[in-house]
Amino acid sequence: MSTRLQQAMRLDESDALQPFRSQFHLPDSRHGQSMVYLCGNSLGLQPTALASEMSAELRQWQTLGVEGHTRGRHPWLPYHELLREPLARLTGALPTEVVAMNTLTVNLHLMMVSFYRPDASRFRIVAEKNSFPSDRYAIESQIRFHGFDPEDALIELEDAPGSGVLTTDTLAEYLEQHGDQVALVLMPGVQYYSGQVLPMAQMAELAHKHGALFGLDLAHAIGNVPLALHDWEVDFAVWCSYKYLNAGPGAVAGCFVHDRHCQGRDQNLPRFNGWWGHQPEGRFKMAAEFRPAEGADAWQLSNPPILALAPVRVSLSLFDQAGLGALREKSIRLTGFLARELTENLSQHIHILTPEASEQRGCQLSLRLRHGHAIARAVFDALTQTDVICDWREPDVIRIAPVPLYNSFEDCALFVDRLGEAIDHVR
Ligand SMILES: *Cc1c(COP(=O)(O)O)cnc(C)c1O
């Protein structure tokens, strides 16, 4: 056994969160080795408690029929409220500021309906150059919907030269010159490709200083890094729940609307309405007039998919049991261990794109393989033959994300061993 592996096993023994690993299903090994799953940035693993909880929800429908709305263990009418407090803890929000609903891109559109209100002078959206395609498509289509041209209205900030990170200075420079034309600044919390944690609080402050609204896509941030959306005065945020939140493929997503936009404080705020956004007390009076529910709940459209909310509920309870503070503390050590082992042993073959400072990264590391696309791809393919599951991004990047809830130091050590072997094998 390598000294790396021995050291990793000692670190696991003293890890207070280690018992959580057995509360998740690890995928089956396909090549006879122990499974190293480092893909929680793409799809989190299934909690072992989920199957019986799903059966309980199905039983409620079997045994109560429509009365399941008001009876049973978790009546369906107020079901989404069960998620409110846990989501508020993960996002640093007031409970009324968050709601679990729809999917990420749908929520992004609904938020832009309310918070992208261009006029002839302020019509630009500032985003990042390397934004996730879905976000880009949503932004461009919103701009066109309002009769503007993305060529002119979409500003994509580039990484600071040579650094691979997006800085507050870059945003500040743009806003100093053109801030009076900007309606909205929309940024990721954690950049999906590089793994950089953006300076969310500073960027929110800058946007506001120049009279723009500030929104966040937290797809790679929620459940990964600490957030304080309320105190940072972020106007809105959206996220998905199948990455670090482990709520399953296509899981019900969520969004945040800052309290200052709620409770009718902004009478002119446009919003697409549906009956589930109506005040719950009067919802079933079926009145012609729409009276918005308190807080982010007002943005709900339909009665929610209970069977799809159950995995979110189960998964969030694991975050509450572990505590985000303890998870983050382990995450910093886990990713730090992995980064150190990679740098000390494989830096002639790989370069870590993700910033080194722990406050500038979450659990993910993005590794650029140094020897060109063909070798990089061959290394990735060889790695997948050794029961390592991680993720490939064109042209030459492997993303790995040790997740503190279920990954171990041993996983990290095995990854470094197997990556080294894959590189040797290909070269
Ligand atoms: C994962 C991810 C998405 C996915 O969008 P869906 O609507 O959930 O399919 C969107 N944006 C970002 C930044 C992501 O990382």
Side-chain angles (χ1 to χ4, degrees):
M1 193 189 297
S2 68
T3 49
R4 176 184 306 133
L5 198 52
Q6 284 173 358
Q7 192 199 351
M9 290 165 99
R10 272 198 306 277
L11 289 168
D12 284 331
E13 276 166 26
S14 59
D15 168 23
L17 295 177
Q18 175 69 4
F20 281 94
R21 182 178 174 90
S22 63
Q23 299 198 40
F24 290 88
H25 291 288
L26 270 184
D28 297 337
S29 140
R30 292 173 56 209
H31 305 282
Q33 300 196 51
S34 55
M35 172 56 67
V36 174
Y37 191 83
L38 293 177
C39 219
N41 57 313
S42 184
L43 184 72
L45 294 180
Q46 182 183 130
T48 53
L50 183 58
S52 70
E53 288 290 325
M54 290 299 289
S55 310
E57 304 294 354
L58 288 172
R59 216 158 36 244
Q60 175 151 332
W61 178 23
Q62 284 163 16
T63 55
L64 299 176
V66 72
E67 294 193 338
H69 282 299
T70 51
R71 290 177 50 205
R73 201 171 55 133
H74 299 123
W76 303 325
L77 281 184
Y79 197 98
H80 73 274
E81 295 171 14
L82 298 170
L83 308 183
R84 208 184 253 162
E85 304 256 348
L87 283 175
R89 283 189 280 275
L90 283 183
T91 53
L94 304 177
T96 51
E97 289 174 322
V98 288
V99 60
M101 61 180 196
N102 309 317
T103 48
L104 187 154
T105 308
V106 173
N107 288 340
L108 185 55
H109 276 296
L110 292 178
M111 290 293 104
M112 289 174 83
V113 163
S114 295
F115 300 108
Y116 175 52
R117 288 170 279 168
D119 60 29
S121 56
R122 263 189 201 276
F123 56 92
R124 288 191 167 151
I125 298 181
V126 176
E128 43 141 8
K129 175 91 182 171
N130 302 310
S131 62
F132 194 89
S134 195
D135 300 48
R136 201 195 145 89
Y137 305 152
I139 293 169
E140 283 187 345
S141 59
Q142 286 277 340
I143 287 173
R144 283 200 196 91
F145 179 74
H146 286 284
F148 294 91
D149 179 359
E151 281 287 320
D152 184 25
L154 173 56
I155 307 303
E156 297 177 295
L157 300 184
E158 307 226 14
D159 292 344
S163 72
V165 298
L166 193 58
T167 65
T168 317
D169 286 349
T170 308
L171 177 61
E173 266 165 44
Y174 182 79
L175 293 176
E176 291 300 336
Q177 286 182 21
H178 305 288
D180 57 349
Q181 297 176 351
V182 176
L184 175 65
V185 176
L186 182 60
M187 289 288 153
V190 174
Q191 216 285 336
Y192 83 98
Y193 193 92
S194 71
Q196 179 200 357
V197 176
L198 271 78
M200 293 174 262
Q202 290 93 316
M203 287 186 160
E205 192 180 341
L206 259 175
H208 291 156
K209 187 176 128 194
H210 291 275
L213 294 178
F214 184 75
L216 279 173
D217 182 331
L218 300 175
H220 287 264
I222 192 163
N224 180 15
V225 295
L227 298 164
L229 300 183
H230 179 83
D231 288 349
W232 297 341
E233 302 199 4
V234 171
D235 294 285
F236 71 87
V238 295
W239 57 85
C240 54
S241 309
Y242 48 85
K243 293 170 180 168
Y244 296 110
L245 292 193
N246 312 314
V252 174
C255 74
F256 163 93
V257 180
H258 198 281
D259 190 50
R260 69 176 172 280
H261 299 298
C262 297
Q263 274 67 275
R265 292 206 179 91
D266 180 353
Q267 291 290 341
N268 299 321
L269 194 71
R271 184 182 51 228
F272 283 176
N273 292 333
W275 75 316
W276 228 253
H278 192 283
Q279 286 172 356
E281 309 77 48
R283 189 183 290 140
F284 287 93
K285 299 205 175 86
M286 306 296 197
E289 187 201 351
F290 178 83
R291 290 170 177 270
E294 217 190 303
D297 277 10
W299 274 263
Q300 294 178 107
L301 297 177
S302 299
N303 77 101
I306 302 301
L307 298 178
L309 280 177
V312 186
R313 181 176 61 74
V314 169
S315 158
L316 292 180
S317 75
L318 289 169
F319 277 87
D320 277 335
Q321 286 167 43
L324 194 60
L327 286 168
R328 175 63 175 159
E329 192 266 335
K330 174 177 170 183
S331 177
I332 289 171
R333 289 193 301 121
L334 198 59
T335 295
F337 173 77
L338 178 55
R340 220 162 27 248
E341 289 296 326
L342 286 167
T343 310
E344 283 171 13
N345 297 285
L346 294 173
S347 52
Q348 69 274 37
H349 305 296
I350 58 149
H351 164 67
I352 301 179
L353 298 178
T354 314
E356 200 177 333
S358 61
E359 64 280 6
Q360 279 192 68
R361 69 184 180 203
C363 48
Q364 177 187 327
L365 294 177
S366 304
L367 316 180
R368 169 153 286 145
L369 287 125
R370 289 193 194 275
H371 310 294
H373 169 84
I375 287 187
R377 182 69 213 194
V379 167
F380 176 77
D381 291 340
L383 197 55
T384 61
Q385 297 299 307
T386 62
D387 285 324
V388 170
I389 298 186
C390 55
D391 140 321
W392 170 259
R393 290 289 125 173
E394 293 295 336
D396 53 7
V397 169
I398 293 176
R399 295 187 305 172
I400 45 177
V403 168
L405 260 176
Y406 53 74
N407 282 121
S408 60
F409 290 89
E410 183 178 338
D411 290 334
C412 297
L414 289 173
F415 175 81
V416 179
D417 288 350
R418 292 183 199 173
L419 177 61
E421 285 159 22
I423 291 169
D424 290 344
H425 174 76
V426 167
R427 282 169 56 80

